[in-house]
Amino acid sequence: MHFPCGHSTMRYDTTLKQIFQAPPQRLLQLLIGQKATELLTVEFPSVNKRLPDMVTRLANGGILHLELQSDSDENMLWRMAEYRILIRQQYPDETLTQIVLYVGDKEPTLPNEVNERDFVYRYDVKDIRDIDCQHMLASPHIEENMLAILCH
């Protein structure tokens, strides 16, 4: 898009936001075939520091994001989606695999998929009790030995 001398993208965006102080009904009708009934006020607080449990490069060049979870947190789906976006921004050309390793006592009931009209997302949930602990017990690393206690 061409901007006349002295105009910036930022100023252009600000002007457009001012135009949208009321829902542009005809534009919405053209875009999606519906009118707006209410303008919602949505503000995002400053970005919080996000620290994933583990992000590692794999032997095949891909990236693995692993989160440990001990309960069935309903917000896990959105936290994982947020992590995916943040990781993809930092590593845009890498293949990304996301897994939540469930280490809780009960059966995991973590929601791990959303399938909305314009947004489809999912990640894998693995229950540590489904992993053969003998492999981790045989590891020379104490951390893996300790995780083996949670396996069957």
Side-chain angles (χ1 to χ4, degrees), residues 16-35:
L16 282 177
K17 282 186 179 183
Q18 289 173 347
I19 290 171
F20 288 125
Q21 291 301 310
Q25 298 293 0
R26 287 188 182 178
L27 177 61
L28 294 178
Q29 191 70 39
L30 291 169
L31 289 174
I32 60 170
Q34 295 187 48
K35 291 184 177 184

Side-chain angles (χ1 to χ4, degrees), residues 2 4-5 11 32 35 42 45 48 51-52 58 77 82 89 91 97 102 105-106 120 122 129 131-132 145 147 150:
H2 174 72
C5 208
R11 188 175 296 157
I32 60 170
K35 291 184 177 184
V42 178
N48 296 327
L51 187 61
L58 302 172
L77 173 65
E82 182 179 15
Q89 285 175 334
Y91 301 98
T97 301
Y102 181 77
D105 294 332
K106 301 176 184 174
V120 176
R122 73 171 307 280
R129 294 172 294 186
I131 296 173
D132 182 357
N145 301 149
L147 279 173
L150 301 172

Side-chain angles (χ1 to χ4, degrees), residues 50-55 63-69 71 73-88 96-102 110-114 119-126:
R50 293 286 180 219
L51 187 61
D53 291 342
M54 185 184 77
V55 179
I63 292 179
L64 171 66
H65 167 219
L66 180 71
E67 288 292 317
L68 298 173
Q69 188 67 26
D71 62 3
D73 182 359
E74 291 179 10
N75 293 320
M76 195 67 193
L77 173 65
W78 301 112
R79 195 164 86 214
M80 290 297 286
E82 182 179 15
Y83 278 138
R84 181 172 201 88
I85 291 166
L86 293 170
I87 294 168
R88 295 294 292 152
L96 176 60
T97 301
Q98 286 184 290
I99 298 174
V100 168
L101 182 60
Y102 181 77
L110 291 164
N112 69 327
E113 183 175 336
V114 62
F119 183 66
V120 176
Y121 170 71
R122 73 171 307 280
Y123 63 90
D124 289 328
V125 175
K126 304 286 186 184

